[in-house]
Amino acid sequence: MLFHSNRIIRALALVGSLPLIASCGGGSNDSSPDTGGCSIAEQNSYFLDYMRENYFWYEDIPAGIDPTSYPSVDALLDAIRSPQDRFSYILTEQEYQERFVNAEYIGFGFSSRVVGSRLFLNYVFAESPAANVGMSRGDEIIEIDGVAVATLIANGSLNSALGPAEEGTSVTFSWQKPNGEEQTDVITKTAVETNTVLAVDRFAQDGKDVGYYVLNSFIDRTGADLNSAYDTLVGVDELIIDVRYNGGGLIRYANQAASQAAGDNVIGNPFVSLIYNDKNSDRNNTSLFQLVDGVQQLDLDRVFVLTTGASCSSSELIINGLKPYVDVVVVGQPTCGKPVGQSPQPFCDKRSFVINFETVNADGEGRYFDGLAPQCSAADTLAGDWGVNGDPLLDEAKYFISFGSCSPSAQLNQAQSFSADSQADKQRYNLLEQWRREF
């Protein structure tokens, strides 16, 4: 579990393809099934039966499991999950509603990253308490309530210093901007709306009109956020979609993002096929490229996508889905490797998000559990706010637009880095937890 009430944040990071069947034409049951009762033993018995029927890797469930011997359904899941599964989880219904339906949480409104003994901001949500005092991506928090961050990290008290996830919690922060300017202010936790498009920009690159936007998740509000972004980018010659921290979410909005980018080059063609286990093969289905909630489309035949190990699930579907039809240039680091998804199942006061199916594109390509490799390698270095010069991922995409190839340094990095072995995959998994620290 991540910090304070951020169990949901961790879930978004680790899983990606959240309540997605309702969005891609299969039918998700929002009424709780009859479990026979909601005691721990009854929930566990129901959940084991459900897993044996619906889990994608049901054959890996050990025989002879006594569900009543586990103290919680979460403990049961940990005991029976497949060795291949690092994505299944369970939320309370309240957690699900707050984060993915209401799209908000109680906090300051920033995501942070610990680097050694230092604490940096990955991003700040619009109109949040943190944004209102001038915090932005790339800032370094140096003191919390007068105590040096290095001290808090060293003694393991960083989480407690940030206070409980309760509205009205106030903390004094001192932070330093990338230009060296230092600021201090009191920030009070409140309900933070999680805008899913964090930044939109449009700039010239060697005579080309280039559009750029940062897409941070796929939840109920993403369709409207995408429309705002694409309205700003009508008429661009090139498009860069930045999903470097995007843990995934609703498939329909991955479809929308891809369809609005490539437009008539893809609309009406297969976007993704969902393949269930052999007990549920009648549920297999294919979603076509469609605008979903989209209005504007760009009709581009090339799209750049910026990725890291925290780019997961629906973020990867944008890449894999577009590949059969247009040129997709991936810049950054290998993605997290989640070519599988969940059909959320409500029961009692919970929702299970266990792996039910795998995903493949129109060419039948999937199973990229080691992640999707970039054509051009670049490290995610915090150079400042979104869109600044000096951001290695964005700069590499600009270089490719100018010269038609990766930069010499990116080619060297690609040759020397990123082995697709199990250890590298585990390291990318850890990055998901490190980068999705939202307070």
Side-chain angles (χ1 to χ4, degrees), residues 305-309 319 328-335 370-379 393 396 400 406 410-411 413-415 417-419 428:
V305 184
L306 309 187
T307 65
T308 67
I319 299 167
V328 183
V329 181
V330 181
V331 175
Q333 300 165 347
T335 62
D370 290 323
L372 297 170
Q375 282 97 315
C376 305
S377 296
L393 273 69
E396 185 60 34
F400 198 106
C406 304
Q411 294 171 12
N413 290 338
Q414 185 73 4
S417 303
F418 304 136
S419 62
R428 291 197 291 277

Side-chain angles (χ1 to χ4, degrees), residues 10-18 86-89 247-249 312-314 338 340 342 353 355:
R10 176 178 181 270
L12 176 62
L14 299 185
V15 182
S17 298
L18 293 175
R86 49 194 173 93
F87 303 110
S88 294
Y89 70 104
C312 209
S313 194
S314 288
K338 184 178 180 290
V340 288
Q342 296 98 316
F353 292 83
I355 299 300

Side-chain angles (χ1 to χ4, degrees), residues 123-134:
Y123 53 85
V124 176
F125 288 115
E127 300 180 5
S128 66
N132 291 339
V133 299

Side-chain angles (χ1 to χ4, degrees), residues 113-135:
R113 173 195 313 194
V114 172
V115 180
S117 61
R118 304 170 73 182
L119 183 65
F120 294 89
L121 301 188
N122 286 327
Y123 53 85
V124 176
F125 288 115
E127 300 180 5
S128 66
N132 291 339
V133 299
M135 282 184 169

Side-chain angles (χ1 to χ4, degrees), residues 72-360:
S72 69
V73 70
D74 296 273
L76 174 61
L77 172 59
D78 288 340
I80 65 177
R81 72 169 69 239
S82 168
Q84 303 177 75
D85 182 9
R86 49 194 173 93
F87 303 110
S88 294
Y89 70 104
I90 297 168
L91 293 181
T92 68
E93 182 65 20
Q94 180 179 351
E95 288 171 333
Y96 164 72
Q97 292 292 334
E98 286 176 352
R99 185 60 186 187
F100 299 115
V101 178
N102 299 330
E104 66 179 33
Y105 71 102
I106 302 299
F108 301 118
F110 62 74
S111 166
S112 61
R113 173 195 313 194
V114 172
V115 180
S117 61
R118 304 170 73 182
L119 183 65
F120 294 89
L121 301 188
N122 286 327
Y123 53 85
V124 176
F125 288 115
E127 300 180 5
S128 66
N132 291 339
V133 299
M135 282 184 169
S136 58
R137 170 173 166 78
D139 292 354
E140 179 183 1
I141 297 177
I142 53 180
E143 288 186 356
I144 299 175
D145 281 337
V147 181
V149 163
T151 300
L152 296 171
I153 293 173
N155 63 25
S157 59
L158 178 60
N159 295 348
S160 58
L162 292 166
E166 298 174 358
E167 194 157 6
T169 298
S170 295
V171 173
T172 301
F173 289 92
S174 295
W175 67 97
Q176 182 173 286
K177 309 295 286 186
N179 64 6
E181 175 190 351
E182 293 188 9
Q183 297 178 226
T184 297
D185 213 325
V186 177
I187 309 180
T188 301
K189 291 185 178 181
T190 187
V192 175
E193 292 189 19
T194 56
N195 54 294
T196 61
V197 173
L198 298 179
V200 183
D201 196 10
R202 189 168 181 159
F203 55 86
Q205 184 70 23
D206 278 358
K208 291 187 175 181
D209 187 1
V210 180
Y212 167 74
Y213 71 89
V214 182
L215 182 58
N216 199 51
S217 60
F218 302 88
I219 57 178
D220 279 356
R221 65 169 287 168
T222 301
D225 289 349
L226 284 171
N227 269 335
S228 295
Y230 279 100
D231 283 347
T232 304
L233 302 177
V234 172
V236 297
D237 303 311
E238 303 276 6
L239 178 66
I240 303 168
I241 304 175
D242 191 335
V243 292
R244 71 181 75 189
Y245 305 138
N246 191 327
L250 295 162
I251 283 180
R252 67 176 179 265
Y253 293 128
N255 190 334
Q256 178 178 336
S259 296
Q260 287 187 276
D264 290 340
N265 291 308
V266 297
I267 290 175
N269 291 304
F271 171 61
V272 63
S273 293
L274 311 186
I275 303 173
Y276 290 78
N277 68 27
D278 57 7
K279 296 181 180 182
N280 293 278
S281 57
D282 60 322
R283 299 176 64 187
N284 294 352
N285 66 89
T286 297
S287 294
L288 304 182
F289 280 94
Q290 55 187 300
L291 291 176
V292 189
D293 298 339
V295 177
Q296 299 288 354
Q297 63 187 63
L298 304 184
D299 299 329
L300 297 172
D301 57 14
R302 181 169 73 176
V303 178
F304 291 81
V305 184
L306 309 187
T307 65
T308 67
S311 306
C312 209
S313 194
S314 288
S315 294
E316 295 168 299
L317 287 184
I318 292 177
I319 299 167
N320 202 49
L322 284 173
K323 275 175 57 181
Y325 308 102
V326 300
D327 186 14
V328 183
V329 181
V330 181
V331 175
Q333 300 165 347
T335 62
C336 87
K338 184 178 180 290
V340 288
Q342 296 98 316
S343 307
Q345 176 71 4
F347 67 103
C348 294
D349 63 342
K350 300 178 178 65
R351 288 205 183 212
S352 66
F353 292 83
V354 300
I355 299 300
N356 301 108
F357 56 83
E358 66 175 327
T359 61
V360 298

